[in-house]
Amino acid sequence: MSDLAEPRASKRGIWGWMLFDWAAQPFFTVVTTFIFGPYFVSRMASDPAAGQAAWGYGIAAAGFVIAILSPVLGSIADQTGARKRWIAFFAAIKIVTVSLLWFAAPGSSLFLVVLLFSLASVAAEFSTVFNDSMMPRLVPKEDIGRISNVAWGLGYLGGMIVLIFVVAFMAGSPETGRTIIGVSPILGLDPALGEDARATGPISALWYFVFILPMFLYTPDTRTGKRIGTAVREGMAELRSTLAEVRQRAGILRFLIARMIYQDGVNALLALGGAFAAAMFGWSITEIGIFGIILNVVAIFGCLAASRLDTALGSKTLVLIALVLLTIATIGIVSTGPGYTLFGAWMMPGEDSGGLFGTPAEKAYIAFGLLIGIAFGPVQASSRSYMARSVSPEEAGRYFGIYALAGRATSFLAPFLVATITALSGSPRLGMAVIILFFLAGMVLLAVTPYPAHRPAR
């Protein structure tokens, strides 16, 4: 970050802010997507369809709570000025709830496990609202896209490191009891009891605790001196005026609606994609973990490239490119099954050549997964920089609260539809196909949205 133009915070403060993504990402990587989620779907539930439905409903419930409260909290943060105290509060909730996933043994109550996961998801998202709203005060607008994408890339790197650790030292094969590098799982973890997957909760909690500390120590925060009661009252009043104001800012309103639609698809694909693959091909934790590592490696390079392209092409162009890739990838993965891809237009030998991902269909699935890896980071990081370029530092909290609302207002809808269609049809493939519609609709609306969405002249 040596070439940042006139930074408003020290380099140490900027890096502390970016390390928040590094700290937060393992929860999404190893718990939500690649290790614990597939374990829940394939081993805790009675069958994969029931597991995908329960997981989807848990994500939907968390999304509903996030949608209701994010803009409220964002407005309150603007009134108090301070963000760190809120991040600390929700970090504590996340650390406790995600640690308790260790007790999610086979045969445990699905409701209680989903409740813990949903609470952790809510706390993680609220922390992100406050962290994101700090960004416009740290660097000039021309550098926002760069630090946003670099931070997201750091997040993927952190998630990948934890995922590699889990696969190499914790995830034992059901047949041999040893990990992919030929050692017994550390700490005597028993894969037969799901302890390798369950341990991802405490590990991601510890990682989060350690690596959010630089943000607390070095990243500058502000404070208005208002008491919390006064801040709540004024924050609620400000939220009402902001919701009225945003209707007069057509560019921001249209962008937020577009993001509300396509982010629903992103959230659902992120949360359910790993479990879908594990159920379809019967992948073990080792295989789904390696799939996750591959995607994270690609995602890191995607974010690093996007950190430059965001400045050169603009956030809007980058988001549109990412949505095209995600649409192609989602069509690819739902059209692939044992022995075929592209809905059977390309039939493949069903013989397993042995080793990891031994069938041609599995390799085709991974190829489509690479497109997801390339696009996942930029579609979210450049959306964040799009918003940051469109608002002033003084209004960042309330607008990032509404930004979170747009990312979650209907975020229960895509997982709910995936879960419901899966439950009614008994077909996880048909359920996942719903996600394509969210990408297409969001892409069309964003294409006709002005960029950036600045405040209109008065």
Side-chain angles (χ1 to χ4, degrees):
M1 308 300 293
S2 59
D3 53 347
L4 283 173
E6 300 179 7
R8 298 166 182 163
S10 67
K11 291 181 181 178
R12 190 165 59 175
I14 294 170
W15 277 102
W17 180 86
M18 293 195 298
L19 279 175
F20 178 90
D21 283 350
W22 163 281
Q25 185 60 36
F27 168 73
F28 302 103
T29 300
V30 299
V31 175
T32 302
T33 305
F34 292 113
I35 303 296
F36 188 86
Y39 158 76
F40 178 92
V41 169
S42 61
R43 296 187 57 190
M44 288 198 66
S46 57
D47 63 82
Q52 179 168 297
W55 199 242
Y57 285 132
I59 295 165
F64 182 76
V65 174
I66 292 164
I68 296 295
L69 294 181
S70 288
V72 176
L73 293 173
S75 291
I76 293 172
D78 274 345
Q79 293 299 316
T80 62
R83 270 71 168 173
K84 291 181 181 179
R85 66 173 71 176
W86 292 97
I87 295 174
F89 174 73
F90 290 113
I93 295 175
K94 176 182 174 181
I95 289 168
V96 171
T97 52
V98 79
S99 296
L100 290 175
L101 293 179
W102 165 254
F103 298 102
S108 300
S109 167
L110 296 186
F111 174 79
L112 290 178
V113 173
V114 169
L115 178 61
L116 287 171
F117 169 74
S118 297
L119 288 172
S121 299
V122 168
E125 185 68 27
F126 288 163
S127 297
T128 300
V129 168
F130 294 110
N131 184 70
D132 286 353
S133 69
M134 297 170 74
M135 181 167 49
R137 294 184 180 276
L138 301 179
V139 295
K141 287 190 175 182
E142 59 265 31
D143 291 316
I144 283 174
R146 189 182 309 178
I147 72 161
S148 183
N149 275 281
V150 170
W152 220 281
L154 281 173
Y156 280 122
L157 179 60
M160 184 185 69
I161 289 172
V162 175
L163 187 57
I164 290 173
F165 179 80
V166 170
V167 171
F169 298 103
M170 294 170 56
S173 166
E175 291 80 21
T176 66
R178 294 187 175 275
T179 72
I180 193 171
I181 62 173
V183 301
S184 298
I186 62 171
L187 303 176
L189 295 175
D190 187 351
L193 298 177
E195 290 181 349
D196 45 0
R198 291 153 50 193
T200 58
I203 287 174
S204 62
L206 178 61
W207 181 277
Y208 185 59
F209 172 76
V210 170
F211 289 110
I212 59 173
L213 294 178
M215 183 272 296
F216 284 108
L217 293 174
Y218 304 123
T219 303
D221 200 2
T222 57
R223 182 170 298 183
T224 63
K226 292 181 181 179
R227 294 186 176 184
I228 188 65
T230 302
V232 169
R233 288 192 300 272
E234 294 184 1
M236 293 297 292
E238 184 183 60
L239 174 60
R240 287 191 292 271
S241 66
T242 302
L243 291 174
E245 175 186 301
V246 77
R247 291 197 292 269
Q248 307 303 316
R249 300 173 72 169
I252 287 182
L253 179 61
R254 200 177 299 173
F255 165 66
L256 291 173
I257 294 173
R259 180 177 182 267
M260 178 178 68
I261 297 169
Y262 69 71
Q263 189 63 38
D264 276 11
V266 171
N267 292 339
L269 187 57
L270 176 64
L272 299 170
F276 176 69
M280 180 189 304
F281 295 111
W283 284 350
S284 66
I285 287 180
T286 299
E287 289 170 310
I288 196 68
I290 291 175
F291 176 60
I293 292 168
I294 293 171
L295 262 62
N296 274 269
V297 169
V298 174
I300 292 167
F301 287 103
C303 286
L304 291 176
S307 71
R308 299 291 179 179
L309 292 175
D310 189 289
T311 301
L313 302 178
S315 302
K316 176 181 174 178
T317 299
L318 210 56
V319 171
L320 287 171
I321 292 171
L323 288 174
V324 170
L325 294 179
L326 287 172
T327 302
I328 294 171
T330 307
I331 293 172
I333 65 173
V334 300
S335 71
T336 302
Y340 66 89
T341 190
L342 301 178
F343 301 103
W346 184 357
M347 301 303 295
M348 298 176 165
E351 295 82 10
D352 193 326
S353 61
L356 298 170
F357 316 118
T359 67
E362 290 174 273
K363 293 180 175 64
Y365 192 98
I366 291 174
F368 290 121
L370 295 179
L371 294 180
I372 297 175
I374 291 171
F376 249 145
V379 74
Q380 297 178 90
S382 289
S383 293
R384 181 169 65 179
S385 59
Y386 190 126
M387 188 66 192
R389 286 190 174 108
S390 301
V391 299
S392 68
E394 292 73 25
E395 62 188 3
R398 56 195 174 106
Y399 272 94
F400 267 103
I402 296 176
Y403 175 81
L405 169 64
R408 291 289 185 173
T410 57
S411 65
F412 60 89
L413 184 58
F416 178 82
L417 289 177
V418 171
T420 300
I421 293 175
T422 299
L424 293 176
S425 66
S427 170
R429 186 187 314 280
L430 190 59
M432 290 291 289
V434 173
I435 295 173
I436 298 168
L437 301 178
F438 288 84
F439 290 145
L440 291 175
M443 192 189 317
V444 170
L445 183 56
L446 183 64
V448 296
T449 299
Y451 168 77
H454 288 309
R455 180 189 294 274
R458 294 185 183 274

